[in-house]
Amino acid sequence: MKKVLIILASLIGLILIAAIALPILFKDDIQAAIDKELDNALNAKVYYDTDAFSVTLFKSFPDISVTVGDFGIVGIEPFETDTLADIKEFSLTLDIMSVISGDQIEIVNVSLLEPTINVLVLQDGTANYDIAKPSEEPTEEEETSESAPLSIKIQGWEIVNANVVYADAATPMVAAISGLNHSGSGDFSQDVFDMITTTSVDAMTFSYDGVDYIYKKSLNADITMAMDLANMKFTFKENQVSLSNFGFGFDGFISLPAEDIDMDISFAGKEIDLISVLSLIPGTYQEYLDGVTASGTVGFDGYVRGTYNESSMPQVLANFGISGGKIVYAEYPVPMEQIEVKATFDMPSANLRETSFLMDKFHMLLDGEELTAYLDFKDLEDYYWDFRMNGNIDLEKITQVVKLEETILKGKVNAQLNTKGRMSDLEAERYANLPTTGSMEISDFYYESPDLPQGFGIANTKMTLDPKEITLANFKGNAGKTDLNMDGKISNYLAYALNDSAMLYGNLNFSSAMVDANEWMTESEEEVTEDTAALEIVRIPENVDFVLASNIESILYDDLELKNFNGKLIVRDGAVRMEKVGFNLLDGQFEMSGAYNSAMALTDPLYDFDFSIKGMSIASAFQSFTTIQQLVPVAEKMTGKFSTDFKIGGSIGEGMMPNYDDMQGAGLVKVAQAALKDVKLLSAVSSVSKLDKGDGEVSLKDVIMSAEIHDGRLWVEPFDIKFAGRKATVGGSTGVDGSLDYAMAMDVPSGQVGEALNSAISNFAGIDNAVGKDITLNLGIAGTYDEPKVKLLSAGPSGGGGSTGVKAALQQQAKEKVEEKKEEVKKAVTEAKDSATAVVTQKVDSAKTEVKEKAEEVKEEAKEEVKDKAKDAVKDLFGKKKKDGGGK
């Protein structure tokens, strides 16, 4: 007995020694085989913790277990920064005899612990999982002489707590799985066996084109399949699958006899009801179902049957029905009952013309209000539809069934609609083939939410439909404090609803007692408005063609009130056009025509306006208009009123502000009477001219100025003013940057200027003593509005022609100065363009060219008009003075 015990102890000891020694002896060989196989098979970076690489017999005796810690795969360009797989622990169980023999290592079990998988597909179809190296066909000699280092004869596998993301930008589709646990068993060393799998998912999300169809739903699946590897046929046996609370099962087979895939799979719901259907509602809306009770029988079944290959697809058919359905919300016991639905989806083949969806029954009572509908939709190449709806809806009752947080929704809708036809008839405008009738009446509608705190209401309206158009009658409503009154027609609505490229046409009359724009500007929006760089370019839809005849008594915007606004707004080809839109603003009367064009082909939107203003306060214009603040800063200190006829055009840049470098304009500015004082510019002129009246004061009466805008400057032809009681003539330009470049001439008695200036004048004029003579001072004004610089350019005896002589001299001087400055600006602009050409795109250049061409047309057209108006205005002005005896 003692000898037996010694022998047994020795045997156990040998086994333990072998169990410890064998893994150590073969560890390097196993690691080398794995490294070699990974290097031969994958075109990617593979990493793992060599210290966490272990080989043991104790984990799966008598087989060998190989464990790799912190294992991962990183893709190559363009996925060199993206990790395809990161696995906390990757384990393989190897047949011990195959390891000892060394001919072919057999894998019998695989385990993944906490893997994270990220699958990415770019828009061009490039995928980060495409990392397998292309295999070379071995020669017959190689096939007989060498065997693969690894042989897969798996009998079991498991995945523990996995997270998987699949993001396909080409589709576009995103699927995400978290908390995946999966295990399976089956002897893949046999040709025929049963494969048994168990799967659970904590949260599964599926979205397509930005819409979540499944959101954080749980999944459980127990599936047994009969595997016939010799014939590549796989048959469903016992199985149960549930998505959230919606359970279903499969029956049938999948077969891969060659390149084709044959299948005959049927599916059906198992023990499902209306609550099961509601459980599929995306989780973001699940809170609205708290306290909801539902009952009713649900039917769901169908099949996938046929062959899949490059030229064919199997038929897919699915039936869905609800019978005796009822839904009640606990807090608001307004029942949705007698819910009856019968629908079928059928895709017989790869021919999309055969695909159809038929909902031949939909019925529901909402607190006694009946709603019925029917839909037959088929032929995905040339849409065919047959849709009918009839019912009364009380929206407030719906909100009692489906709770809407912080939202008020009420109103009654009565609708009847019948329409059928084909898309080809609609596109060809064969309206006789599109029988469509219907009407909708809305009354006492009101909607308010955190996103629309002002509220939107419809007191009443009626819409009638035919195949061609919708007629809107007697629309009375409100948007916040703004009252809305409309009627008119909207046409081509069916094509617009079914085709993204179709046009929508409308012709509406709109009237309102008051439009309060301020109510729609929240504090945050006002802050953003102050930072104009944050404003985005407003793009007008290019597939909308609307004519809106407007009549608005009052428009409140910021601190302004536009009164008696009337005219036509035309939305067409990505532009908004105004046709003789008139309104009163502050104390002025406006009339505008022109367009804002934001067509997508343009880098920057274009504007082109022709407007007139009558009797507007100069100070009010400065406070209200950014362009005047930029180009006429002196208007801040002016009193009086002006009128103008002006054309202006250019482009809109960042922050919805005009690009001053390509702004072009021309027109007449008429000032009946105005005054300017208490500005640095007048102080500077007084300082140089040494007139005795302090800082001086400028007055204008019956002045007509001819002005142009180009090259970032406002150019004004010489005009007459009174400075310190003396007549003077001024002409020149102001830049957007605030720079001044003006010439000023005035006749002054030498006795009104100081002794030092008399001496300077004598030197300029070449006379011994200027005292007692009328002197013409020619001044240059430069610098900026805030820091003006004035100097005496020349002086001499007056030509005796009074203001006419002064004006003639200054006009020639100003003309030369303006032409000189224009040449400098043109040269600078040309140099800037040449420098910018190397760094800007051709698209921007072409857009700028288009802006320039359009603006030049505006400018030339306006200049001709200005010349004619100026001639007539000057004739009238001086003709009147002669009659009154006022001229010399």
Side-chain angles (χ1 to χ4, degrees):
M1 184 66 181
K2 185 177 180 181
K3 290 183 178 181
V4 173
L5 292 175
I6 293 173
I7 293 172
L8 288 174
S10 301
L11 182 60
I12 292 172
L14 287 172
I15 293 174
L16 288 173
I17 293 171
I20 296 171
L22 283 174
I24 296 174
L25 293 174
F26 292 103
K27 177 179 178 179
D28 292 341
D29 292 337
I30 294 171
Q31 185 175 356
I34 293 175
D35 288 342
K36 180 179 179 182
E37 187 64 19
L38 290 173
D39 184 62
N40 291 336
L42 301 180
N43 191 16
K45 300 174 185 177
V46 179
Y47 64 85
Y48 60 87
D49 186 352
T50 54
D51 294 334
F53 184 88
S54 65
V55 180
T56 180
L57 276 173
F58 294 106
K59 190 174 181 180
S60 53
F61 187 83
D63 293 324
I64 295 178
S65 290
V66 180
T67 301
V68 180
D70 296 327
F71 176 84
I73 301 174
V74 178
I76 58 174
E77 192 178 0
F79 303 105
E80 65 272 18
T81 59
D82 299 309
T83 301
L84 171 62
D86 182 77
I87 304 168
K88 182 177 181 181
E89 185 177 286
F90 177 27
S91 299
L92 299 175
T93 300
L94 310 177
D95 179 85
I96 189 170
M97 297 309 297
S98 69
V99 174
I100 294 173
S101 67
D103 293 333
Q104 187 180 61
I105 298 176
E106 297 179 0
I107 301 174
V108 295
N109 202 297
V110 178
S111 175
L112 301 177
L113 177 63
E114 296 185 14
T116 298
I117 312 296
N118 292 295
V119 179
L120 304 175
V121 181
L122 303 182
Q123 284 189 333
D124 61 2
T126 305
N128 70 336
Y129 60 80
D130 188 12
I131 58 175
K133 290 183 177 179
S135 59
E136 299 180 0
E137 292 295 330
T139 63
E140 183 176 345
E141 181 179 348
E142 289 174 337
E143 287 180 340
T144 57
S145 61
E146 293 186 10
S147 59
L150 293 175
S151 173
I152 299 176
K153 294 185 178 181
I154 293 177
Q155 298 175 10
W157 59 92
E158 67 173 350
I159 300 172
V160 179
N161 196 23
N163 294 292
V164 182
V165 174
Y166 178 87
D168 189 341
T171 313
M173 178 185 76
V174 176
I177 295 174
S178 62
L180 168 65
N181 291 279
H182 172 82
S183 63
S185 63
D187 190 353
F188 278 82
S189 64
Q190 305 297 317
D191 287 340
V192 178
F193 62 95
D194 284 349
M195 182 179 71
I196 302 171
T197 62
T198 298
T199 304
S200 67
V201 174
D202 292 340
M204 180 171 65
T205 296
F206 174 81
S207 65
Y208 177 78
D209 200 17
V211 178
D212 290 333
Y213 291 94
I214 299 174
Y215 185 77
K216 293 186 177 180
K217 295 299 177 185
S218 62
L219 174 72
N220 290 280
D222 296 320
I223 297 176
T224 299
M225 296 194 73
M227 311 290 287
D228 184 351
L229 299 182
N231 298 302
M232 292 300 288
K233 183 175 181 180
F234 315 107
T235 305
F236 285 98
K237 297 177 75 173
E238 298 84 8
N239 60 86
Q240 174 71 43
V241 180
S242 62
L243 180 61
S244 194
N245 294 327
F246 193 90
F248 53 95
F250 298 96
D251 192 13
F253 68 88
I254 301 174
S255 177
L256 290 77
E259 295 296 326
D260 295 346
I261 302 176
D262 296 333
M263 61 188 74
D264 186 353
I265 302 171
S266 59
F267 53 85
K270 291 186 176 182
E271 300 178 357
I272 56 176
D273 54 21
L274 198 50
I275 284 289
S276 304
V277 176
L278 295 178
S279 73
L280 298 179
I281 293 176
T284 50
Y285 306 103
Q286 200 68 42
E287 60 180 290
Y288 299 123
L289 298 177
D290 293 341
V292 169
T293 59
S295 61
T297 303
V298 174
F300 173 67
D301 62 71
Y303 57 79
V304 181
R305 186 176 298 157
T307 300
Y308 175 82
N309 54 35
E310 292 183 357
S311 60
S312 69
M313 288 185 64
Q315 180 182 9
V316 179
L317 184 139
N319 300 305
F320 178 78
I322 300 175
S323 178
K326 183 177 181 179
I327 301 174
V328 180
Y329 190 71
E331 189 174 350
Y332 302 100
V334 177
M336 296 171 62
E337 52 192 346
Q338 296 186 27
I339 302 173
E340 305 287 336
V341 179
K342 185 180 179 183
T344 299
F345 172 80
D346 187 10
M347 188 175 72
S349 68
N351 185 356
L352 296 179
R353 304 207 66 160
E354 297 178 351
T355 300
S356 66
F357 174 78
L358 174 64
M359 183 179 69
D360 56 3
K361 187 175 185 179
F362 179 88
H363 176 275
M364 180 182 71
L365 288 181
L366 177 58
D367 197 25
E369 299 281 357
E370 185 179 42
L371 177 65
T372 62
Y374 169 91
L375 174 62
D376 184 8
F377 186 83
K378 55 191 176 185
D379 190 352
L380 299 185
E381 303 240 342
D382 182 13
Y383 300 155
Y384 170 85
W385 69 89
D386 182 355
F387 177 67
R388 306 165 213 160
M389 185 186 72
N390 190 355
N392 299 306
I393 302 174
D394 188 329
L395 298 175
E396 190 170 11
K397 290 179 180 178
I398 290 180
T399 62
Q400 293 177 353
V401 174
V402 180
K403 188 176 180 181
L404 302 177
E405 294 291 340
E406 301 180 10
T407 298
I408 301 173
L409 176 63
K410 57 186 178 180
K412 295 182 179 180
V413 180
N414 179 269
Q416 298 86 35
L417 176 62
N418 294 278
T419 177
K420 66 168 62 176
R422 282 195 174 275
M423 193 67 187
S424 56
D425 289 328
L426 184 61
E427 292 175 338
E429 300 182 1
R430 294 187 288 265
Y431 297 115
N433 297 340
L434 302 168
T436 299
T437 59
S439 65
M440 179 181 295
E441 295 184 31
I442 302 174
S443 61
D444 301 324
F445 175 89
Y446 184 76
Y447 176 79
E448 182 181 316
S449 71
D451 294 329
L452 190 67
Q454 303 87 347
F456 177 78
I458 301 174
N460 60 73
T461 189
K462 182 177 181 178
M463 292 180 285
T464 57
L465 297 83
D466 62 35
K468 186 177 180 180
E469 61 191 15
I470 297 173
T471 300
L472 179 67
N474 195 34
F475 180 100
K476 294 185 181 299
N478 70 283
K481 298 175 184 177
T482 300
D483 62 295
L484 309 171
N485 301 277
M486 289 186 289
D487 62 69
K489 297 180 183 295
I490 300 172
S491 57
N492 204 44
Y493 67 95
L494 284 173
Y496 182 80
L498 296 172
N499 189 335
D500 291 339
S501 62
M503 294 291 297
L504 181 67
Y505 300 94
N507 199 322
L508 298 173
N509 300 310
F510 171 73
S511 64
S512 174
M514 182 188 71
V515 173
D516 188 351
N518 293 327
E519 188 181 14
W520 299 88
M521 292 181 64
T522 64
E523 291 184 5
S524 59
E525 287 173 336
E526 289 172 353
E527 291 171 2
V528 170
T529 302
E530 291 177 5
D531 179 12
T532 55
L535 295 177
E536 294 183 358
I537 293 295
V538 177
R539 295 287 179 183
I540 308 301
E542 297 186 39
N543 61 339
V544 173
D545 190 326
F546 263 57
V547 177
L548 189 67
S550 302
N551 188 341
I552 305 171
E553 294 179 19
S554 174
I555 299 176
L556 303 179
Y557 177 75
D558 201 9
D559 295 328
L560 302 177
E561 181 180 9
L562 284 69
K563 295 182 178 180
N564 303 320
F565 183 98
N566 65 82
K568 282 186 178 180
L569 298 178
I570 302 172
V571 180
R572 182 175 295 154
D573 299 328
V576 176
R577 292 175 173 81
M578 295 182 176
E579 283 191 1
K580 294 186 177 180
V581 173
F583 55 90
N584 296 328
L585 175 60
L586 300 171
D587 47 4
Q589 183 178 344
F590 285 67
E591 184 176 289
M592 298 183 67
S593 295
Y596 168 83
N597 188 345
S598 65
M600 293 303 294
L602 299 172
T603 302
D604 294 333
L606 305 178
Y607 63 91
D608 174 13
F609 289 103
D610 183 354
F611 63 91
S612 68
I613 305 174
K614 295 182 180 178
M616 187 173 190
S617 163
I618 297 173
S620 297
F622 177 87
Q623 294 295 330
S624 304
F625 303 122
T626 304
T627 302
I628 292 182
Q629 294 171 10
Q630 292 277 47
L631 295 176
V632 195
V634 73
E636 181 182 14
K637 299 292 185 177
M638 292 188 73
T639 59
K641 295 186 176 183
F642 75 99
S643 299
T644 185
D645 291 298
F646 217 88
K647 289 181 179 291
I648 192 167
S651 67
I652 297 293
E654 187 176 354
M656 282 299 290
M657 294 295 291
N659 291 319
Y660 289 100
D661 58 344
D662 62 29
M663 180 184 288
Q664 303 280 341
L668 287 178
V669 180
K670 309 165 192 175
V671 180
Q673 188 163 350
L676 171 66
K677 61 181 180 179
D678 299 331
V679 294
K680 289 184 178 180
L681 176 60
L682 299 185
S683 300
V685 173
S686 295
S687 176
V688 173
S689 64
K690 302 298 182 182
L691 291 175
D692 294 335
K693 296 195 176 181
D695 290 343
E697 178 179 333
V698 169
S699 63
L700 296 86
K701 185 174 182 180
D702 296 330
V703 172
I704 297 177
M705 290 177 278
S706 176
E708 296 181 11
I709 299 174
H710 56 81
D711 300 320
R713 303 188 72 82
L714 170 67
W715 306 80
V716 183
E717 293 189 5
F719 61 95
D720 290 338
I721 62 172
K722 275 193 174 183
F723 177 73
R726 304 294 299 178
K727 287 187 178 180
T729 303
V730 181
S733 69
T734 304
V736 177
D737 58 359
S739 62
L740 304 176
D741 188 2
Y742 283 90
M744 179 177 178
M746 57 183 169
D747 283 348
V748 298
S750 59
Q752 290 190 8
V753 299
E755 181 178 346
L757 184 58
N758 270 326
S759 176
I761 291 172
S762 297
N763 292 333
F764 268 121
I767 57 179
D768 293 334
N769 188 3
V771 177
K773 300 181 176 62
D774 279 347
I775 302 297
T776 298
L777 302 180
N778 294 315
L779 306 177
I781 302 173
T784 66
Y785 172 69
D786 292 324
E787 297 294 335
K789 298 177 181 178
V790 180
K791 64 180 179 179
L792 179 64
L793 300 176
S794 64
S798 173
S803 64
T804 303
V806 173
K807 188 170 184 177
L810 184 58
Q811 281 177 332
Q812 181 61 33
Q813 177 186 341
K815 183 177 180 181
E816 293 172 358
K817 191 72 175 176
V818 167
E819 291 301 322
E820 176 186 344
K821 191 64 179 178
K822 286 169 71 175
E823 289 302 318
E824 291 178 7
V825 172
K826 286 181 180 179
K827 182 179 179 182
V829 170
T830 300
E831 292 174 354
K833 285 183 178 178
D834 292 341
S835 175
T837 300
V839 294
V840 299
T841 64
Q842 184 177 1
K843 186 175 181 180
V844 172
D845 287 339
S846 62
K848 291 292 184 184
T849 301
E850 184 176 352
V851 170
K852 288 285 186 183
E853 291 174 353
K854 183 65 179 177
E856 285 295 334
E857 292 177 9
V858 174
K859 175 183 167 186
E860 292 302 323
E861 181 181 349
K863 285 175 68 177
E864 293 301 319
E865 183 178 338
V866 167
K867 289 179 181 178
D868 294 338
K869 289 186 177 180
K871 289 178 182 178
D872 294 339
V874 171
K875 286 179 182 179
D876 291 343
L877 180 62
F878 288 102
K880 179 180 177 182
K881 286 186 175 182
K882 286 179 180 180
K883 289 179 184 179
D884 295 341
K888 283 188 178 182

